[in-house]
Amino acid sequence: SVNLSICQINPSLGDFKNNKEKILKYIYRSKRLNSNIIIFPELAICGYPPLDLIWEDGFIKQNDIALNQVAKLSSIPIIIGCIRVDNNAIYNSAAICFDGKLQKYCDKILLPNYDVFDEKRFFHPGQSPKVFKIPINGRSRKIGVQICEDLWDDDYNCKVSTIQKEMGAELIINISASPYHEKKIIERIAHVSLKAKQLSLPFIYCNMIGGQDELIFDGNSFAISKEGLLLSQARSFKEDLKIV
């Protein structure tokens, strides 16, 4: 069996020092609980939403420094939300770290630009869905990694989860910074449950908690079986570490 550690944390925007210390604490705890892979939310390194702070050189630099320190601890794989810069293009990314270093990035493809979101102003979209070979418990596993809106692909041309299934994903991990509104928790579980059933794939959903400006993040991270059943759910509005 494989133990996945879902780390539902409350990062503070731009507080790289405390965010990193919190992340390291959760990594150590996950390792003590015999986790085989550790998962953190969207933009956990810097906090969400970074907005105009991403234009500051120092902000990106601090993001990279913290990320490299986290990657050094990836004797077991870590998936964590961060910022990636490539040729002046800025991406909302997930870092895939294992064997003590940053191995690959997975960029968010679907950038929400409605309601409270304004991501197209700040980020470049990722090119195409990705599946990663990640060594878990001595075996190479094919894992589809996606970020928040990539899960809500019904109104987009790019069907991220379906493409990842076609690419051979055995499991899909979605890292999120999904704000709370009434009935949002029920909607999320129903949506992911239906996707899991349709694709016959288990899903891990890791959300952040906390408040940033007018946004409130509720956590409620969860795991859904390939039959669409809710296997485990983290707490509402509190930090939590769930081993699934």
Coordinates of all heavy atoms in Angstrom, one line a residue, residues 192-233:
V192 N -15.6 16.0 -8.3 CA -14.5 15.1 -8.4 C -14.9 13.6 -8.3 O -14.4 12.8 -9.1 CB -13.5 15.4 -7.2 CG1 -12.3 14.4 -7.3 CG2 -13.0 16.8 -7.3
S193 N -16.0 13.3 -7.6 CA -16.5 12.0 -7.5 C -17.0 11.5 -8.9 O -16.7 10.4 -9.3 CB -17.7 12.0 -6.5 OG -18.3 10.7 -6.5
L194 N -17.7 12.4 -9.6 CA -18.2 12.1 -10.9 C -17.0 11.8 -11.9 O -17.0 10.9 -12.7 CB -19.1 13.2 -11.5 CG -19.7 13.0 -12.8 CD1 -20.7 11.8 -12.8 CD2 -20.4 14.3 -13.3
K195 N -16.0 12.7 -11.8 CA -14.8 12.6 -12.7 C -14.1 11.3 -12.4 O -13.7 10.6 -13.3 CB -13.8 13.7 -12.4 CG -13.9 14.9 -13.4 CD -12.6 15.6 -13.5 CE -12.6 16.7 -14.5 NZ -13.6 16.8 -15.5
A196 N -13.9 11.0 -11.1 CA -13.2 9.7 -10.7 C -13.9 8.5 -11.3 O -13.3 7.6 -11.8 CB -13.1 9.6 -9.2
K197 N -15.2 8.5 -11.2 CA -16.1 7.4 -11.7 C -16.0 7.3 -13.2 O -15.8 6.2 -13.8 CB -17.5 7.6 -11.3 CG -18.0 6.6 -10.3 CD -19.5 6.5 -10.2 CE -20.1 7.9 -9.8 NZ -21.3 7.8 -8.9
Q198 N -16.1 8.4 -13.9 CA -16.0 8.4 -15.4 C -14.7 7.9 -15.9 O -14.6 7.2 -16.9 CB -16.3 9.9 -15.9 CG -17.7 10.3 -15.8 CD -17.9 11.8 -16.1 OE1 -16.9 12.6 -16.0 NE2 -19.1 12.2 -16.5
L199 N -13.6 8.3 -15.2 CA -12.3 8.0 -15.7 C -11.7 6.7 -15.0 O -10.7 6.2 -15.4 CB -11.3 9.2 -15.4 CG -11.6 10.5 -16.2 CD1 -10.7 11.6 -15.7 CD2 -11.5 10.3 -17.7
S200 N -12.4 6.3 -14.0 CA -12.0 5.1 -13.2 C -10.6 5.4 -12.6 O -9.7 4.5 -12.8 CB -12.0 3.8 -14.0 OG -11.8 2.7 -13.2
L201 N -10.4 6.6 -12.0 CA -9.1 7.0 -11.5 C -9.3 7.5 -10.1 O -10.3 8.3 -9.9 CB -8.5 8.1 -12.3 CG -7.6 7.7 -13.6 CD1 -7.1 8.9 -14.2 CD2 -6.5 6.7 -13.2
P202 N -8.5 7.2 -9.1 CA -8.5 7.9 -7.8 C -8.0 9.3 -7.9 O -7.1 9.6 -8.7 CB -7.7 7.0 -6.9 CG -6.7 6.3 -7.8 CD -7.4 6.2 -9.1
F203 N -8.6 10.2 -7.1 CA -8.2 11.6 -7.1 C -7.8 12.0 -5.7 O -8.5 11.6 -4.7 CB -9.4 12.5 -7.5 CG -9.5 12.7 -9.0 CD1 -10.0 11.8 -9.8 CD2 -9.1 14.0 -9.6 CE1 -10.1 12.0 -11.2 CE2 -9.3 14.2 -10.9 CZ -9.8 13.2 -11.7
I204 N -6.7 12.8 -5.6 CA -6.4 13.5 -4.3 C -6.6 15.0 -4.5 O -6.0 15.5 -5.5 CB -4.9 13.2 -3.9 CG1 -4.7 11.7 -3.7 CG2 -4.5 14.0 -2.7 CD1 -5.3 11.1 -2.5
Y205 N -7.3 15.6 -3.6 CA -7.5 17.0 -3.7 C -7.0 17.7 -2.5 O -7.4 17.5 -1.4 CB -9.0 17.3 -3.9 CG -9.4 18.7 -4.0 CD1 -9.5 19.3 -5.2 CD2 -9.8 19.4 -2.9 CE1 -9.9 20.6 -5.3 CE2 -10.2 20.8 -3.0 CZ -10.2 21.4 -4.2 OH -10.6 22.7 -4.3
C206 N -5.9 18.6 -2.7 CA -5.3 19.2 -1.5 C -5.5 20.7 -1.6 O -5.0 21.4 -2.5 CB -3.8 18.9 -1.5 SG -2.9 19.7 -0.2
N207 N -6.3 21.2 -0.7 CA -6.7 22.7 -0.7 C -6.0 23.4 0.5 O -5.7 22.8 1.5 CB -8.2 22.8 -0.5 CG -8.7 24.2 -0.9 OD1 -8.1 25.0 -1.6 ND2 -9.9 24.5 -0.4
M208 N -5.8 24.7 0.4 CA -5.2 25.5 1.5 C -6.3 26.0 2.4 O -7.5 25.9 2.1 CB -4.3 26.6 1.0 CG -5.0 27.7 0.3 SD -3.9 29.2 0.1 CE -2.5 28.6 -0.7
I209 N -5.9 26.5 3.6 CA -6.9 27.2 4.4 C -6.3 28.6 4.7 O -5.2 28.9 4.5 CB -7.1 26.4 5.8 CG1 -5.9 26.4 6.7 CG2 -7.6 25.0 5.5 CD1 -6.2 27.0 8.0
G210 N -7.2 29.4 5.3 CA -6.8 30.7 5.8 C -7.5 31.8 5.0 O -8.3 31.6 4.2
G211 N -7.1 33.0 5.3 CA -7.7 34.2 4.7 C -6.7 35.1 4.0 O -5.6 35.2 4.5
Q212 N -7.1 35.6 2.8 CA -6.2 36.6 2.2 C -7.1 37.7 1.5 O -7.9 37.3 0.6 CB -5.3 35.9 1.1 CG -4.4 36.8 0.4 CD -3.4 37.6 1.3 OE1 -2.9 37.0 2.3 NE2 -3.2 38.8 1.1
D213 N -7.0 38.9 2.0 CA -7.9 39.9 1.6 C -9.4 39.4 1.8 O -9.7 39.0 2.8 CB -7.6 40.4 0.2 CG -6.2 41.0 0.0 OD1 -5.7 41.5 1.1 OD2 -5.7 41.0 -1.0
E214 N -10.2 39.5 0.7 CA -11.6 39.1 0.8 C -11.8 37.6 0.6 O -12.9 37.1 0.7 CB -12.5 39.9 -0.1 CG -12.4 39.4 -1.6 CD -11.2 39.9 -2.4 OE1 -10.2 40.4 -1.8 OE2 -11.2 39.7 -3.6
L215 N -10.7 36.8 0.4 CA -10.9 35.4 0.1 C -10.7 34.6 1.4 O -9.8 34.8 2.2 CB -9.8 34.9 -0.9 CG -9.9 35.6 -2.3 CD1 -8.8 35.1 -3.2 CD2 -11.2 35.5 -2.9
I216 N -11.5 33.6 1.6 CA -11.4 32.6 2.7 C -11.2 31.2 2.1 O -12.0 30.8 1.3 CB -12.6 32.6 3.6 CG1 -13.0 34.0 4.1 CG2 -12.5 31.7 4.8 CD1 -12.1 34.6 5.1
F217 N -10.2 30.6 2.5 CA -9.9 29.2 2.0 C -10.3 28.2 3.1 O -9.9 28.4 4.2 CB -8.4 29.0 1.6 CG -8.0 30.0 0.6 CD1 -7.2 31.1 0.9 CD2 -8.4 29.9 -0.8 CE1 -6.8 32.1 0.0 CE2 -8.0 30.8 -1.7 CZ -7.2 31.9 -1.3
D218 N -11.1 27.2 2.7 CA -11.7 26.4 3.7 C -11.1 25.0 4.0 O -11.5 24.3 4.8 CB -13.2 26.1 3.4 CG -13.3 25.5 2.0 OD1 -13.2 26.2 1.0 OD2 -13.6 24.3 1.9
G219 N -10.0 24.7 3.2 CA -9.4 23.4 3.4 C -10.3 22.3 2.8 O -10.6 22.2 1.6
N220 N -10.8 21.4 3.7 CA -11.7 20.3 3.3 C -11.0 19.4 2.2 O -11.7 19.0 1.2 CB -13.1 20.8 2.8 CG -13.9 21.2 4.0 OD1 -14.3 20.4 4.8 ND2 -14.1 22.5 4.1
S221 N -9.7 19.3 2.2 CA -9.0 18.4 1.3 C -9.6 17.0 1.4 O -10.1 16.6 2.4 CB -7.5 18.3 1.6 OG -7.0 19.6 1.6
F222 N -9.5 16.2 0.3 CA -10.1 14.9 0.3 C -9.5 13.9 -0.6 O -8.7 14.3 -1.5 CB -11.6 15.0 0.1 CG -12.0 15.6 -1.2 CD1 -12.0 14.9 -2.4 CD2 -12.4 17.0 -1.2 CE1 -12.4 15.5 -3.6 CE2 -12.8 17.6 -2.4 CZ -12.8 16.9 -3.6
A223 N -9.8 12.7 -0.5 CA -9.4 11.6 -1.4 C -10.6 10.9 -1.8 O -11.5 10.6 -1.0 CB -8.4 10.6 -0.7
I224 N -10.7 10.6 -3.1 CA -11.8 9.9 -3.8 C -11.3 8.7 -4.5 O -10.3 8.7 -5.2 CB -12.5 10.8 -4.8 CG1 -13.0 12.1 -4.1 CG2 -13.6 10.1 -5.6 CD1 -14.5 12.2 -3.8
S225 N -12.0 7.5 -4.3 CA -11.6 6.3 -4.9 C -12.0 6.3 -6.4 O -12.8 7.1 -6.8 CB -12.3 5.1 -4.2 OG -13.6 5.1 -4.6
K226 N -11.4 5.3 -7.1 CA -11.8 5.3 -8.6 C -13.2 5.0 -8.8 O -13.8 5.2 -9.9 CB -10.8 4.4 -9.3 CG -10.9 2.9 -9.0 CD -9.9 2.2 -9.9 CE -10.1 0.7 -10.0 NZ -10.1 -0.1 -8.8
E227 N -13.9 4.5 -7.8 CA -15.3 4.2 -7.9 C -16.2 5.5 -7.5 O -17.4 5.5 -7.6 CB -15.8 3.1 -6.9 CG -15.2 1.7 -7.2 CD -13.8 1.5 -6.8 OE1 -13.3 2.2 -5.8 OE2 -13.1 0.7 -7.4
G228 N -15.4 6.6 -7.2 CA -16.1 7.8 -6.9 C -16.5 8.0 -5.4 O -17.3 8.8 -5.1
L229 N -16.0 7.1 -4.5 CA -16.3 7.2 -3.1 C -15.4 8.1 -2.3 O -14.2 8.0 -2.6 CB -16.3 5.8 -2.5 CG -17.2 4.7 -3.2 CD1 -17.0 3.3 -2.6 CD2 -18.7 5.1 -3.0
L230 N -15.9 8.8 -1.4 CA -15.1 9.7 -0.5 C -14.4 8.8 0.5 O -15.0 8.2 1.3 CB -16.0 10.7 0.2 CG -15.3 11.7 1.1 CD1 -14.4 12.6 0.3 CD2 -16.4 12.5 1.8
L231 N -13.1 8.7 0.4 CA -12.3 7.9 1.3 C -11.9 8.6 2.6 O -11.8 8.0 3.6 CB -11.0 7.4 0.6 CG -11.2 6.6 -0.7 CD1 -9.9 6.3 -1.3 CD2 -11.9 5.3 -0.4
S232 N -11.6 9.9 2.4 CA -11.1 10.6 3.6 C -11.3 12.1 3.3 O -11.2 12.6 2.2 CB -9.6 10.3 3.7 OG -9.0 11.0 4.8
Q233 N -11.5 12.9 4.4 CA -11.7 14.3 4.2 C -11.0 15.0 5.4 O -11.2 14.7 6.6 CB -13.2 14.7 4.2 CG -13.4 16.2 3.9 CD -14.9 16.5 3.7 OE1 -15.7 15.6 3.6 NE2 -15.2 17.8 3.5

